[in-house]
Amino acid sequence: MIIADRKPLAELLEMIQDCDRILILGCKGCVTVCNVGGAKEVGILASALKIARKKEGRTLEVDERTLERQCDPEYIEQVKNEVGDYDAVISMACGVGPQFLSTAYPEQRFYPAVNTTSFGGAVQHGVWEERCAGCGQCVIHYFGGMCPIARCSKSLLNGPCGGSAGGKCEISKDVDCIWDMIVRKKTEQGRLEDLLDVKPPKSWDTARDGGPRRSVREELVQ
Amino acid sequence: MSDLKSGSNLEKVLKAGHFAFTGECGPPKGANVEHLKEKVAHLKGMVDAVNVTDNQTAVVRMSSWAASTIMLQEGVEPNFQMVCRDRNRLAMMSDILGVSAMGIRNMLCLSGDHQRFGNHPQSKNVYDIDSMQLIALAKKMRDEGRFLNDEEIDVPPRLFIGAAANPFAEPHEFRPYRLAKKVEAGADFIQTQCIYNMDRFRAFMKRVVDMGIHEKCSILAGVTPMKSVGMAKYMGKMVPGMDVPDELIQRLQGAGKGKVAEEGIRFALEQIEEFREMEGVAGVHLMAIEWEHRVPEIAERAGMLPRPRV
């Protein structure tokens, strides 16, 4: 899923400083699963903004709503009758949501409440980690089911750099060295030879480097 | 000598069977050419080639190719370093052609320290290709006369291709294999990370010799004399992939006030003596960090002078 982190309250207050009435729009997709932008977090943010405003001696009217998804025009359309009633709308979806909203309702201002960070999953309760870089040409099967493009700080394809120590990456003790994990797994499997060929340079033309990506399923296009 | 790959002094020294001795020089944090020339002057005649670092520790400095060119003008052979952090494949290939055109004949291919360590941690890194692929790229350009996309090169570069090896990084058991891959990719010579844990290095070299890797490339053992106890502790704790045993720190501490640097040099000299005899080691790479002026003394005391003329 898409992982995101909430923006600091001060940044959000700054965004809406000239607003008296706002709508906070949550999303029931990925951001609900990673506990950052679902109905619950919409409620928490609404309270936090109102309290902060009260401290400033001003009031803020906040309505709350959470859509099924914000990456689909079908659901974006559900707010068409109310979206114009506010000074601004804060979207708690990933970076996709406020863009779909902005396109659908060009008159309104939409602010992102979260910083979208990565594609990943929960490794324990309350902790999410990146797993995929969306490079457009999956190669994890060469590396014991682990992606060195997303998970090695240098996206190395030919083994661990000289900074790997104690199973950790040179950039931080909080970051696992994925190459340490790949080598260990292949060694345990008795398949170390899989890592001995020199992997050629990757083509990044399917990644973001090749320009914005577009996926088309001909059978669905009407 | 028509079978030389690059015609560099380092290549000739190694080919003639001499025990090679290389140095290192970091470009200035500015366009201070005089300061660079001063540092280079200390190394002249003392070593066979001098590594010119490429924004080392991700701190921005004068470009390695420009500093290499200045070095060349000063009569010292550079070993031009290139990291994968700052250039994509287009920039790499054009710089490879550029340095070759300027008469630079050695090139060391490195991944590069992550920018998080440097003075611009906000920067975007590149890592379009990795160090292994950079080695293979340089070899392809030189030997096949072709770019990565197979287009023909109008006068291919002539370079003696180097790579790094860190026997102390983990997983330890994979390090000889990674070295073997670099040689397979096209490395003509290898310079290792600074060695302090001699036991681990001996074990690493034994494995390298058993695998026959030393017969396909020249391995230069990395030596950096410790200037102080603080430096030893810092390198052991803060520099990724560095292994500084407690015994060495204790030895330096025991040297007494004002004598630590001399003890550091003595340890380096003992290392060099052992490397001369160690199977599979073809030379020493002396990284006297901001200590270029001590290189003549170290070279002299290590019995490395005069350097062979080939």
Side-chain angles (χ1 to χ4, degrees):
Chain A
M1 70 179 142
I2 293 173
I3 314 289
D5 295 321
R6 238 273 318 271
K7 280 180 178 287
L9 194 65
E11 188 181 343
L12 298 174
L13 282 167
E14 174 78 22
M15 287 173 179
I16 56 156
Q17 60 175 337
D18 65 342
C19 302
D20 298 317
R21 188 161 189 250
I22 63 163
L23 171 67
I24 303 180
L25 262 186
C27 175
K28 289 182 189 169
C30 309
V31 290
T32 292
V33 185
C34 69
N35 302 70
V36 71
K40 187 177 153 203
E41 292 77 27
V42 167
I44 293 168
L45 178 61
S47 303
L49 287 173
K50 281 190 273 193
I51 291 166
R53 262 300 174 81
K54 210 169 184 183
K55 276 188 189 164
E56 291 172 14
R58 295 169 62 197
T59 55
L60 181 69
E61 201 182 318
V62 184
D63 283 341
E64 306 170 21
R65 186 158 177 192
T66 300
L67 299 179
E68 205 59 35
R69 285 197 296 278
Q70 290 188 25
C71 50
D72 199 326
E74 178 188 343
Y75 300 108
I76 295 289
E77 211 182 280
Q78 292 174 353
V79 291
K80 70 174 179 211
N81 294 329
E82 60 195 272
V83 76
D85 299 342
Y86 302 92
D87 297 330
V89 177
I90 291 182
S91 165
M92 297 200 80
C94 70
V96 178
Q99 295 191 56
F100 268 63
L101 288 162
S102 297
T103 304
Y105 308 111
E107 303 298 318
Q108 183 55 285
R109 289 183 292 170
F110 295 92
Y111 292 110
V114 304
N115 295 318
T116 307
T117 59
S118 59
F119 308 143
V123 289
Q124 68 178 78
H125 193 65
V127 180
W128 291 267
E129 277 182 4
E130 182 166 15
R131 287 291 181 269
C132 175
C135 73
Q137 180 59 51
C138 195
V139 291
I140 57 171
H141 51 297
Y142 295 123
F143 307 105
M146 291 174 264
C147 180
I149 293 161
R151 300 173 70 185
C152 167
S153 298
K154 302 175 184 175
S155 297
L156 304 182
L157 292 177
N158 282 289
C161 76
S164 177
K168 299 295 173 185
C169 172
E170 68 176 23
I171 70 159
S172 167
K173 295 259 184 289
D174 296 329
V175 177
D176 290 326
C177 171
I178 194 64
W179 268 107
D180 189 273
M181 291 164 76
I182 294 168
V183 168
R184 282 182 203 289
K185 184 169 181 184
K186 287 284 184 186
T187 304
E188 281 162 20
Q189 291 177 333
R191 290 185 191 154
L192 197 62
E193 68 273 12
D194 292 352
L195 303 178
L196 302 185
D197 293 336
V198 177
K199 289 267 177 306
K202 183 176 169 64
S203 170
W204 297 102
D205 60 352
T206 55
R208 177 61 189 79
D209 308 86
R213 274 78 59 84
R214 190 163 198 241
S215 295
V216 180
R217 307 265 183 277
E218 294 292 355
E219 71 278 17
L220 299 176
V221 178
Q222 290 166 356
Chain B
M1 300 288 264
S2 59
D3 55 342
L4 287 170
K5 294 169 175 174
S6 69
S8 80
N9 182 58
L10 179 61
E11 180 182 10
K12 288 191 244 175
V13 165
L14 286 165
K15 203 172 169 67
H18 297 291
F19 192 74
F21 194 43
T22 55
E24 187 153 313
C25 182
K29 279 175 88 171
N32 192 338
V33 177
E34 290 315 309
H35 181 59
L36 177 63
K37 285 181 177 175
E38 200 183 301
K39 292 209 290 184
V40 170
H42 294 300
L43 300 167
K44 193 168 183 175
M46 301 294 143
V47 289
D48 304 316
V50 175
N51 286 36
V52 181
T53 51
D54 182 16
N55 290 337
Q56 78 267 28
T57 64
V59 170
V60 65
R61 289 168 181 274
M62 182 193 288
S63 61
S64 54
W65 71 259
S68 294
T69 305
I70 293 167
M71 190 176 280
L72 206 56
Q73 288 163 357
E74 295 300 295
V76 173
E77 177 168 289
N79 178 18
F80 162 71
Q81 295 193 183
M82 184 188 277
V83 300
C84 299
R85 179 194 60 230
D86 304 335
R87 297 172 180 82
N88 69 6
R89 62 190 78 181
L90 277 82
M92 284 171 164
M93 287 186 278
S94 83
D95 278 354
I96 288 170
L97 294 177
V99 298
S100 184
M102 296 305 290
I104 292 159
R105 291 288 173 264
N106 306 301
M107 170 182 170
L108 190 75
C109 306
L110 304 164
S111 304
D113 294 313
H114 195 271
Q115 74 274 9
R116 176 171 301 193
F117 299 108
N119 62 355
H120 290 80
Q122 306 84 356
S123 61
K124 188 179 197 315
N125 64 34
V126 184
Y127 293 113
D128 176 14
I129 67 176
D130 63 24
S131 59
M132 201 73 68
Q133 296 158 348
L134 176 57
I135 295 163
L137 169 61
K139 183 181 166 67
K140 178 175 182 164
M141 290 175 74
R142 180 191 68 193
D143 295 351
E144 295 175 32
R146 291 184 184 278
F147 292 104
L148 198 53
N149 66 352
D150 290 328
E151 272 176 39
E152 217 166 301
I153 297 172
D154 178 16
V155 183
R158 289 188 72 202
L159 290 163
F160 196 44
I161 302 167
N166 185 356
F168 311 102
E170 291 176 270
H172 292 136
E173 60 281 8
F174 190 69
R175 294 295 154 181
Y177 292 110
R178 181 154 162 88
L179 172 58
K181 275 181 85 164
K182 288 190 174 180
V183 174
E184 187 198 324
D188 302 309
F189 70 100
I190 298 291
Q191 291 172 318
T192 78
Q193 174 67 287
C194 316
I195 300 157
Y196 297 107
N197 185 337
M198 292 297 280
D199 286 341
R200 183 163 302 287
F201 187 67
R202 287 181 199 112
F204 172 79
M205 281 310 300
K206 185 173 182 311
R207 186 86 184 97
V208 166
V209 169
D210 287 347
M211 289 168 71
I213 305 169
H214 65 301
E215 287 162 358
K216 299 174 195 155
C217 71
S218 304
I219 300 169
L220 278 61
V223 172
T224 292
M226 291 292 192
K227 295 193 251 189
S228 64
V229 175
M231 174 183 173
K233 285 182 176 170
Y234 177 82
M235 287 179 93
K237 283 212 180 80
M238 305 303 288
V239 181
M242 197 78 81
D243 182 348
V244 183
D246 290 340
E247 302 89 80
L248 176 60
I249 293 173
Q250 284 157 14
R251 177 173 163 180
L252 294 170
Q253 282 168 331
K257 211 176 171 203
K259 293 177 187 160
V260 178
E262 171 58 23
E263 197 59 35
I265 289 178
R266 271 191 206 155
F267 178 70
L269 295 174
E270 289 166 21
Q271 288 184 296
I272 295 171
E273 206 179 321
E274 185 173 341
F275 294 144
R276 275 178 180 279
E277 304 302 322
M278 196 180 284
E279 192 178 3
V281 176
V284 161
H285 177 47
L286 180 69
M287 292 163 274
I289 304 161
E290 292 307 310
W291 232 23
E292 289 83 359
H293 64 285
R294 299 297 293 268
V295 170
E297 179 200 337
I298 296 167
E300 178 67 46
R301 289 172 66 186
M304 288 291 187
L305 300 181
R307 295 311 305 152
R309 289 180 167 275
V310 285

